[in-house]
Amino acid sequence: MDDLKAIIESLLFAAEIPLKIDKIKTILELEDRDVIRDALTSLAEEYESGKRGFFLNEVAGGFQLRTRPEYGQWIRRLKETRPARLSRAAMETLSIVAYKQPILRSDVEYLRGVDCGGTLRTLLERRLVRIMGRKDLPGRPMIYGTTREFLELFDLKDLTELPSLKDLKDLGEAWPNDST
Amino acid sequence: MDDLKAIIESLLFAAEIPLKIDKIKTILELEDRDVIRDALTSLAEEYESGKRGFFLNEVAGGFQLRTRPEYGQWIRRLKETRPARLSRAAMETLSIVAYKQPILRSDVEYLRGVDCGGTLRTLLERRLVRIMGRKDLPGRPMIYGTTREFLELFDLKDLTELPSLKDLKDLGEAWPNDST
Amino acid sequence: MEQTQDQTPYQVNLGELFDGPMDLLVHLVKKNEVDIYDIPIALITQQYVEYLEWMKSVNIDVAGEFLVMAATLAHIKSRMLLPTPEEEGEDEDPRMEIIRPLAEYLQLKYAADDLLDRDRLDWDVFRRADLDAAEAWSDEEPGLIQVGLFELIDAFQDIIKRVSPKYLWDLTPDKISVKSRMSQISELIEEKGSVAFTELFETEATRGDIIVTFLAVLEMAKLQLIRVMQHVESGIIRIFNG
């Protein structure tokens, strides 16, 4: 593969949105759009004849590498098993339960200032939070706490290993020279 | 390209984090790890001999497609967001945590001779360093270690791949970089 | 990653020029081209102090740790001047007090450089753009969760910042221990249905642990998370789910 083609391939690979020919032209400081178009055509043919895992798709006025549709089933499996992240809302709710347990939903909601039914349900389903019991109040509201899975997720021996707010405060502010 | 190789290529292409052989095995419901390893080796050789825009990198316990280092200059032009930088202080702290982990903040500070709370916080925020637990000492100080993201950032398969510490007596005139 | 070189004159402090006293020492050893294992301590001490003096004269804030190092250097220098009593002739070179940490610091500084020389992600090499990043944050995603302890405490701190300080009760170690014990007891009862009061103490080692367990049981009873029952005949106290 000649250098220009390889460089264009690397740009296609790293690009977040479909790459326009003009953009490639600017990045590589080329005069000629045709050279780029030829390289793209040649890449597309190569992917096709080589029957690779991905192909070159002309889309939304640009070019983008995409996995072959016939492999969609495998990719979906990959995405299903991908370690998910917790949303910010779930993270906040979880942290309140972790630090303030045993705690009532109404207290979680007081602290977060929003309804937490949905995030608590998510956390219950993921077995990070459990119902420890019911409080002797009108309506017998449920009391929430964390689970063994919670400890495992964060690799904690027990709740005493949770870092405290003081630990975090002791670290001070992030170093100003590091642009985050 | 045979189907298995192409499918593995498409998985590598779509994966967000380095893909472990076991993960590929599960997704494709294969019995045999060797078939996968052979396909990966063959892909790696193809990328190399074909001098493509990307290569197969063994990193952080898995495999990941990455653009060739010699094309970094072009990709940086494509990516308009500047990569977050680490200051010299943060790099020093990070290398101490990497080599001496599990390590306490006080030990990092002993080695650097300065307060490291801010740099540790920066590194925690960037997910390059993590809290591993607490030490059974007065005040129950937190124990720090590095993350998968650290391995990914510096192209390391695992911690044993960290460059070995140099014997200063062999160094002669070479000095580490500093601002002077 | 590249170093930040710009230092605005009115904001300078020594910590920005040197990342601490060790860094300044490395600079001096390097400038004088001396062997780190045979540091001319008088010369280096003199230059180190001169440096601090100069800093002060141009109104640069000299942090405490730089002064501590100056004192250490002065101390080593004075010990070098003292005649060694013959019976202690095999005493270690006083300079080792500074040479050992300096050598280790240097090694790790080199290591940091070695790391930066590698093919760095998002600088030398790039992975494919994470096109589904937004989707990855959804609540609906099943499966495992990838999250760190720092994120957890960080989230909690954000909440604490938002709510009134009167809600900020102190999480002292004892209080946390009780909470932790409560969680364990609760798991235990969930598993077994009920547990004998004495069972809770059998594995306890220290007096502190016993108190923590006792407080946990009291608190749980107060919150009606458990029911404490005593057998009329045997006198055995058992704890049940509330």
Side-chain angles (χ1 to χ4, degrees), chain C residues 9-76:
Chain C
Y10 44 86
Q11 268 191 331
V12 169
N13 63 55
L14 198 49
E16 282 177 45
L17 295 178
F18 294 101
D19 295 321
M22 297 296 265
D23 201 33
L24 174 51
L25 266 189
V26 166
H27 167 75
L28 293 176
V29 171
K30 178 181 172 184
K31 198 181 83 178
N32 290 289
E33 294 179 339
V34 294
D35 181 355
I36 172 176
Y37 291 105
D38 189 22
I39 294 175
I41 200 78
L43 176 74
I44 296 293
T45 304
Q46 183 203 334
Q47 290 185 356
Y48 185 94
V49 173
E50 277 171 10
Y51 215 102
L52 297 198
E53 291 302 324
W54 178 77
M55 289 289 159
K56 280 185 207 157
S57 73
V58 292
N59 276 329
I60 293 172
D61 182 35
V62 176
E65 51 255 20
F66 284 91
L67 302 175
V68 172
M69 177 62 82
T72 305
L73 289 172
H75 179 65
I76 296 170

Side-chain angles (χ1 to χ4, degrees), chain B residues 18 57-62 66 98-99 101 146-164, chain C residues 114-115 118-119 121:
Chain B
N57 195 197
E58 194 173 349
V59 65
R66 292 184 167 190
Y99 281 88
Q101 65 188 303
T146 53
T147 59
R148 190 199 72 234
E149 284 85 346
F150 165 79
L151 295 176
E152 283 191 59
L153 178 60
F154 293 108
D155 184 19
L156 297 163
K157 285 195 205 35
D158 51 45
L159 287 175
T160 65
E161 239 212 349
L162 276 174
S164 55
Chain C
D114 283 348
L115 282 176
R118 301 180 65 85
D119 287 335
L121 189 63

Side-chain angles (χ1 to χ4, degrees), chain B residues 13-14 16 55 64-72 75-76 79 83-89 91-92 95-96 98-100 110-115 121 124-127 131 133 148-150 152-156 161-169 171 173-180, chain C residues 1-5 7 16-23 26-27 29-30 33-34 36-37 65-66 97 101-130 132-133 136 146-151 153-154 157 161 173:
Chain B
F13 185 84
E16 278 167 60
F55 68 106
Q64 188 170 54
L65 296 178
R66 292 184 167 190
T67 58
R68 270 180 190 280
E70 55 265 46
Y71 300 153
I75 318 263
R76 287 199 292 276
K79 304 266 183 185
R85 292 173 171 194
L86 286 175
S87 68
R88 213 152 34 105
M91 261 323 283
E92 277 185 26
S95 79
I96 291 172
Y99 281 88
K100 304 283 182 185
Y110 173 77
L111 281 164
R112 287 198 56 224
V114 287
D115 179 279
R121 197 189 173 110
L124 282 166
E125 279 170 10
R126 296 251 188 109
R127 300 176 69 106
I131 300 161
R148 190 199 72 234
E149 284 85 346
F150 165 79
E152 283 191 59
L153 178 60
F154 293 108
D155 184 19
L156 297 163
E161 239 212 349
L162 276 174
S164 55
L165 287 176
K166 291 190 173 72
D167 187 345
L168 295 179
K169 289 194 165 110
L171 287 170
E173 290 301 294
W175 285 92
N177 291 327
D178 62 14
S179 60
T180 48
Chain C
M1 318 210 159
E2 257 108 89
Q3 299 142 13
T4 324
Q5 297 279 7
Q7 280 131 7
E16 282 177 45
L17 295 178
F18 294 101
D19 295 321
M22 297 296 265
D23 201 33
V26 166
H27 167 75
V29 171
K30 178 181 172 184
E33 294 179 339
V34 294
I36 172 176
Y37 291 105
E65 51 255 20
F66 284 91
E97 186 186 341
L102 192 59
E104 190 163 25
Y105 173 76
L106 250 183
Q107 267 194 326
L108 289 157
K109 220 167 151 59
Y110 282 119
D113 283 351
D114 283 348
L115 282 176
L116 287 176
D117 280 344
R118 301 180 65 85
D119 287 335
R120 254 176 301 151
L121 189 63
D122 292 332
W123 183 254
D124 301 299
V125 295
F126 294 82
R127 62 191 152 195
R128 207 173 138 255
D130 184 5
D132 317 308
Q146 184 197 337
V147 74
L149 258 185
F150 179 75
E151 279 88 342
I153 185 171
D154 197 38
Q157 200 199 24
K161 275 186 200 155

Side-chain angles (χ1 to χ4, degrees), chain A residues 53-95:
Chain A
F54 48 85
F55 69 104
L56 187 64
N57 194 27
E58 194 168 350
V59 61
F63 292 84
Q64 189 169 50
L65 297 179
R66 293 191 171 181
T67 55
R68 265 179 195 282
E70 56 264 47
Y71 299 153
Q73 50 167 324
W74 308 113
I75 312 279
R76 280 194 296 278
R77 282 197 180 191
L78 170 74
K79 300 280 173 183
E80 275 164 23
T81 58
R82 166 180 63 191
R85 286 165 169 167
L86 284 177
S87 68
R88 185 73 192 170
M91 202 59 202
E92 281 192 13
T93 303
L94 181 60
S95 78

Side-chain angles (χ1 to χ4, degrees), chain C residues 2 4 40 64 86 125 138 150 152 168 177 189 217 234 240:
Chain C
E2 257 108 89
T4 324
E86 270 176 34
V125 295
S138 91
F150 179 75
L152 187 77
L168 216 177
S177 305
I189 297 172
V217 172
S234 67
F240 296 85

